Amino acid sequence: MSEPAQDPAPVPHADVAGGPDAMIVCESVVRIHQHGAIEVQALQGLDLHVTSGEMIAVVGPSGAGKSTLLSILAGADSPTAGTVRVAGWDLTRLPRAERVAYRRNVVGIVQQQASRNLIPYLTAVDNVAVPLGLAAYPRRKRAARAAELLDRVGVASCARRLPGELSGGEQQRVAIAVALANEPPVLLADEPTGELDTATSHEIFETLRATSTRDGVTVVVVTHDPTVSGQVGRTVAIRDGRTSSEVLRHTEQLADGESRVVAQEYAVMDRAGRVQVPREFRQALELTRRVRLTLEASHLELWPDDRR
Ligand code: ADP
């Protein structure tokens, strides 16, 4: 690598929207891809706040803007408009040198294809040592640190094997160790279980969850897998380039000592107060262009236009 290693230099937290606990703040984020005269709006005013140490799943149909969001959070792409801050870094105007430091120290990335996360001719332990070397981690301590990271994600026994000698699940665990090598505060995973069977997917999610609960890393996972998204406290749905709804889960204690997980879906309101009414609600009540809102003591009522 030609760029010099740099210390992370986050901008001060004082003016960070979303409060001091907000690790990721996206507000009104727009990303337009321009191809000659044709514009594709990949993100159209997306809002997202993620608290430090939280783990969220991002779901949504193909083309919704999930990969674009992840690329922006990874520092690989820039928004056309809006605010994006991660760990106090302003990603809307990050100079190239700082972008390298950001990618090296602030975010760890796990991609869908296990083979793309690892260098095929290096053993697992040597793969984990690569980012340590890039960050100028002391040479004589690298092997021990890499072994410790592999142990943390449950694949200590694979240290001396090449990626081709590992199962898909083991490869993804090694990839998580690589991503965590420089202790980034944020881990981004793009369909990390896309190529794995259900049981292995579950294990990988448990590893990611432990990373968030035990190590305090903020984890954002893009997934298509509805069973997997049930394993996180919050699932954010993206549709047409904006956050459309969130499902929050919490565990409720029942009188007989048992507990159950309760999931509640919320619509997302942007800073201007706009809320998207789900299509099935609109169809059921034939809601069209105009609706009537009335304020009650504890809620709002939304009525069809009675003057049509
Ligand atoms: P998802 O990951 O949810 O499938 P993407 O973020 O890949 O969605 O894409 C969102 C939209 O932006 C799609 O319409 C896609 O075709 C478009 N898009 C993404 N990347 C580019 C690009 N580099 N050039 C042009 N259009 C793009």
Side-chain angles (χ1 to χ4, degrees):
M1 290 279 150
S2 54
E3 296 89 355
Q6 298 196 3
D7 287 335
V11 295
H13 277 79
D15 63 340
V16 171
D21 285 347
M23 179 58 75
I24 298 175
V25 177
C26 297
E27 276 176 359
S28 309
V29 178
V30 174
R31 176 67 173 102
I32 300 172
H33 295 287
Q34 188 94 37
H35 284 289
I38 300 169
E39 281 189 351
V40 181
Q41 281 218 15
L43 298 178
Q44 310 191 37
L46 178 131
D47 294 313
L48 177 68
H49 287 202
V50 188
T51 308
S52 181
E54 193 184 357
M55 173 168 172
I56 68 159
V58 176
V59 299
S62 185
K66 305 181 298 295
S67 302
T68 303
L69 170 65
L70 225 54
S71 300
I72 289 173
L73 295 178
D77 193 5
S78 298
T80 309
T83 303
V84 182
R85 289 183 201 271
V86 177
W89 291 60
D90 180 354
L91 297 190
T92 39
R93 42 199 159 94
L94 204 58
R96 198 179 116 70
E98 284 189 29
R99 200 166 281 276
V100 173
Y102 172 82
R103 287 174 64 81
R104 198 168 283 167
N105 299 296
V106 183
V107 284
I109 297 161
V110 178
Q111 304 195 50
Q112 174 176 6
Q113 284 164 297
S115 52
R116 278 180 53 189
N117 287 307
L118 303 173
I119 299 170
Y121 51 84
L122 294 182
T123 61
V125 75
D126 286 344
N127 263 285
V128 182
V130 170
L132 295 173
L134 292 175
Y137 194 85
R139 185 179 289 276
R140 59 197 168 72
K141 292 189 186 165
R142 271 179 220 164
R145 164 91 180 133
E148 186 242 315
L149 282 156
L150 288 174
D151 188 36
R152 209 197 291 178
V153 295
V155 282
S157 59
C158 301
R160 298 281 156 213
R161 286 196 248 152
L162 294 169
E165 298 165 344
L166 303 173
S167 70
E170 287 167 343
Q171 287 184 15
Q172 283 305 58
R173 282 169 187 271
V174 176
I176 295 170
V178 171
L180 293 176
N182 290 325
E183 296 186 43
V186 177
L187 184 69
L188 306 172
D190 193 358
E191 297 274 3
T193 60
E195 294 178 335
L196 306 175
D197 61 65
T198 308
T200 314
S201 296
H202 201 88
E203 286 169 20
I204 294 296
F205 250 71
E206 280 308 311
T207 304
L208 292 172
R209 195 146 70 159
T211 302
S212 126
T213 51
R214 183 194 54 206
D215 305 331
V217 176
T218 307
V219 181
V220 177
V221 190
V222 165
T223 181
H224 265 104
D225 187 339
T227 60
V228 148
S229 60
Q231 288 178 261
V232 297
R234 181 156 69 114
T235 302
V236 174
I238 296 184
R239 181 174 288 277
D240 300 332
R242 53 172 75 201
T243 335
S244 63
S245 68
E246 293 193 2
V247 174
L248 303 186
R249 291 177 193 78
H250 68 274
T251 307
E252 210 173 64
Q253 293 298 330
L254 302 175
D256 58 6
E258 294 287 302
S259 60
R260 64 169 178 174
V261 175
V262 180
Q264 178 80 51
E265 183 165 7
Y266 292 82
V268 175
M269 186 170 73
D270 72 12
R271 290 189 116 191
R274 284 182 288 247
V275 175
Q276 191 174 25
V277 179
R279 181 184 311 219
E280 59 273 24
F281 290 12
R282 283 181 274 150
Q283 284 172 344
L285 295 178
E286 294 181 30
L287 302 178
T288 51
R289 197 177 61 81
R290 212 161 43 184
V291 294
R292 199 157 53 80
L293 289 174
T294 54
L295 179 63
E296 297 296 323
S298 63
H299 62 279
L300 292 173
E301 288 180 351
L302 187 150
W303 298 81
D305 181 0
D306 48 11
R307 298 179 56 176
R308 269 184 302 169

